[in-house]
Amino acid sequence: MVQKNLIDGEWIAGSEAFRNINPSDTNDVVGEYARASAEDARAAIAAAKAAFPAWSRSGILERHAILRKTADEILARKDELGKLLSREEGKTLAEGIGETVRAGQIFDFFAGECLRLAGEVLPSARPNIGVEITREPIGVVGIITPWNFPIAIPAWKIAPALCYGNTVVFKPAELVPGSSWAIVDILHRAGLPKGVLNLVMGKGSVVGQAMLDSPDIHAITFTGSTGTGKRVALASVEHNRKYQLEMGGKNPFVVLDDADLAVAVEAAVNSAFFSTGQRCTASSRLIVTEGIHDRFVGAMGERMKGLVIDDALKAGTQIGPVVDESQLNQDTDYIAIGRQEGAKLAFGGELLKRDTPGFYLQPALFTEATNAMRISREEIFGPVASVIRVKDYDEALTVANDTPFGLSSGIATTSLKHATHFKRNADAGMVMVNLPTAGVDFHVPFGGRKGSSHGSREQGRYAAEFYTTVKTAYTLA
Ligand code: ADP
């Protein structure tokens, strides 16, 4: 059966379909999904535009009920949806279920936010005049998502968009349509009026581009590569629309001489390799001061030897496969580049064979890397990390901040002085002390600086900034 697109409340098959392949076992077809055309995208945009006036004025109880019901169903089906996610994306079952729970929590959070919509009332600077400041929805929001968090990223964009009264055209990544289809189905059955949420699965260059080119999309929220982010930005400037970008990272994880070695190694292994290194918050630059360098590298090698890399759905697997062949080629190309640049491949980096055909790669650790090398400057998006040796904390901080990106930044230290200084001076949107650079809560702001992000923060109450526009009203008493 082909899973269809949702346009104006109708499930539409279209003329083409594409297959969703399991990266742990390429013989396993997860499902077939309708491929939307540019025309479908335009129909979805028109439906969202037509649905906006009524939805923007819908009652907070209606919105609350739909988001709450969605949260409940996602959480009740966490094992099944988590398995679907792991099957289509390749992260481990524990990670897939964890991400699904997070999606449920996000819908729950924004269900609550519908009931807390508020403004401000204040006196004017002029006598006998009152001022009200309120937030209003923006209109049609275009949502374009990547493959690495197939349910959490759609959730953290769709939930606030609907909560604040916007209508949505949603284009998930082609590699992982299953999780997106599932949450759209849940929201549709939870009672969303037709046209409020439209799903158009398909190619970025066709469906995504049709969204960028439409004057009827009033805001676009995008997570993905830097190159596509730039296209979103340029098209949005052209149409004078609001836009929000979450793009790459090259996140540093600093290890100081005074770190607890076990804490540092655990956080570094998690940051660099969990979810197969395919997180924008992953750390691929381990910046280590010279007094602990050799002990840290030794302990990393020991810890990496014990990692279980296998089928994402198998019990005991700690690291699943890379998402597809083209990403695997990118990872192995960077491993070759690192060697050519003179870094030492201290551990891993080989392709692995498992029971089923899949994209298995032994996590790779380089040592003797410098911050100037391409492997230290460009986002690899795989289980490949480099150790950069530095003299002291000051040099570590300078190297950590010397990057075009600024999403997440971590440090392992037992020094309050250094932890405090790092929190204040790390040039990143998120800072982690004695914790992995990845792994964030659902109810607080997410986002970065410099080349990593553009626009206001996602998640938590800060999401209102993007999904609403502010009105200031003056009344003569
Ligand atoms: P990734 O490397 O994570 O696949 P992309 O930026 O290519 O990063 O993809 C992120 C999302 O952007 C996907 O949903 C993809 O289909 C979409 N996309 C790709 N090209 C375009 C485009 N020209 N216009 C709009 N969206 C696009």
Side-chain angles (χ1 to χ4, degrees):
M1 193 182 69
V2 174
Q3 306 285 24
K4 298 171 185 155
N5 287 303
L6 184 68
I7 300 172
D8 203 16
E10 302 288 331
W11 292 106
I12 307 287
S15 53
E16 276 184 52
F18 63 101
R19 297 193 313 167
N20 181 0
I21 304 291
N22 178 351
S24 299
D25 176 1
T26 54
N27 292 325
D28 176 31
V29 179
V30 180
E32 280 201 75
Y33 295 83
R35 178 177 275 146
S37 62
E39 218 150 275
D40 292 330
R42 285 189 282 271
I45 296 165
K49 188 180 177 188
F52 177 70
W55 181 249
S56 65
R57 287 192 290 271
S58 59
I60 55 171
L61 283 185
E62 180 184 358
R63 291 186 223 166
H64 171 264
I66 292 169
L67 296 178
R68 185 63 247 218
K69 240 173 144 172
T70 300
D72 287 348
E73 183 170 337
I74 290 173
L75 292 172
R77 292 172 57 196
K78 68 181 169 55
D79 293 337
E80 171 214 339
L81 294 173
K83 186 172 172 189
L84 168 67
L85 194 168
S86 295
R87 203 170 144 216
E88 67 177 351
E89 199 271 352
K91 64 182 67 175
T92 66
L93 196 50
E95 289 169 334
I97 294 171
E99 189 185 326
T100 305
V101 169
R102 180 160 161 213
Q105 290 166 330
I106 290 166
F107 277 102
D108 185 38
F109 179 88
F110 284 105
E113 285 301 281
C114 299
L115 306 180
R116 282 187 284 269
L117 287 170
E120 291 179 71
V121 177
L122 50 163
S124 160
R126 291 166 285 164
N128 300 325
I129 291 175
V131 180
E132 287 163 36
I133 304 171
T134 50
R135 286 190 178 275
E136 295 185 355
I138 314 168
V140 177
V141 174
I143 295 180
I144 300 178
T145 59
W147 49 261
N148 64 330
F149 284 93
I151 197 164
I153 295 179
W156 86 49
K157 294 181 189 296
I158 293 172
L162 297 177
C163 163
Y164 297 114
N166 301 285
T167 57
V168 172
V169 176
F170 168 38
K171 194 210 93 60
E174 246 199 329
L175 276 178
V176 292
S179 302
S180 293
W181 188 91
I183 56 170
V184 170
D185 170 55
I186 293 170
L187 278 156
H188 178 59
R189 284 187 290 98
L192 272 183
K194 75 183 178 102
V196 172
L197 170 65
N198 301 274
L199 172 70
V200 277
M201 300 176 287
K203 290 190 173 162
S205 57
V206 178
V207 174
Q209 195 60 46
M211 291 166 69
L212 302 194
D213 294 340
S214 171
D216 291 329
I217 292 201
H218 307 107
I220 289 200
T221 174
F222 166 85
T223 302
S225 64
T226 306
T228 309
K230 207 172 253 180
R231 297 176 86 108
V232 174
L234 289 172
S236 298
V237 169
E238 184 73 31
H239 291 288
N240 191 27
R241 75 161 75 93
K242 204 168 180 182
Y243 64 100
Q244 175 183 58
L245 311 175
E246 291 297 345
M247 301 172 291
K250 197 70 198 171
N251 308 297
F253 185 72
V254 170
V255 179
L256 296 186
D257 285 355
D258 64 27
D260 177 318
L261 186 63
V263 167
V265 168
E266 220 32 60
V269 165
N270 178 320
S271 302
F273 307 128
F274 284 13
S275 296
T276 323
Q278 298 173 150
R279 297 185 283 192
C280 40
T281 46
S283 174
S284 49
R285 294 188 298 140
L286 308 175
I287 301 162
V288 185
T289 49
E290 55 196 10
I292 198 171
H293 177 277
D294 293 355
R295 278 183 295 140
F296 175 77
V297 168
M300 283 293 286
E302 281 307 307
R303 179 71 176 84
M304 289 173 73
K305 262 186 230 161
L307 290 173
V308 181
I309 299 109
D310 208 331
D311 189 316
L313 299 182
K314 235 187 210 175
T317 295
Q318 291 169 321
I319 293 178
V322 172
V323 74
D324 73 351
E325 190 173 0
S326 114
Q327 184 60 49
L328 183 66
N329 290 339
Q330 178 165 317
D331 298 348
T332 52
D333 284 353
Y334 272 109
I335 292 170
I337 289 167
R339 289 172 123 155
Q340 284 156 20
E341 289 180 307
K344 181 178 154 216
L345 185 60
F347 191 86
E350 307 92 44
L351 298 181
L352 300 173
K353 286 242 172 295
R354 292 294 179 258
D355 295 346
T356 47
F359 308 110
Y360 298 105
L361 176 65
Q362 178 84 45
L365 185 71
F366 279 107
T367 54
E368 312 306 331
T370 71
N371 201 45
M373 292 176 176
R374 280 182 66 196
I375 53 166
S376 302
R377 305 212 73 79
E378 297 168 17
E379 187 176 49
I380 301 172
F381 221 62
V384 182
S386 314
V387 176
I388 301 169
R389 190 200 303 254
V390 291
K391 197 164 75 266
D392 54 16
Y393 170 74
D394 290 339
E395 189 185 354
L397 178 65
T398 304
V399 170
N401 286 341
D402 177 10
T403 168
F405 298 105
L407 187 56
S408 179
S409 196
I411 190 167
T413 179
T414 53
S415 151
L416 181 62
K417 181 177 144 205
H418 286 141
T420 306
H421 190 270
F422 190 77
K423 277 191 276 187
R424 291 201 184 129
N425 292 284
D427 199 1
M430 296 176 290
V431 184
M432 313 291 183
V433 178
N434 293 318
L435 287 167
T437 52
V440 297
D441 284 1
F442 67 89
H443 64 305
V444 290
F446 176 95
R449 300 179 177 179
K450 300 197 281 186
S452 290
S453 305
H454 179 90
S456 51
R457 290 287 181 266
E458 302 202 75
Q459 302 200 58
R461 305 196 77 170
Y462 285 67
E465 201 53 45
F466 181 74
Y467 293 96
T468 62
T469 179
V470 169
K471 180 175 277 175
T472 313
Y474 297 82
T475 311
L476 181 63

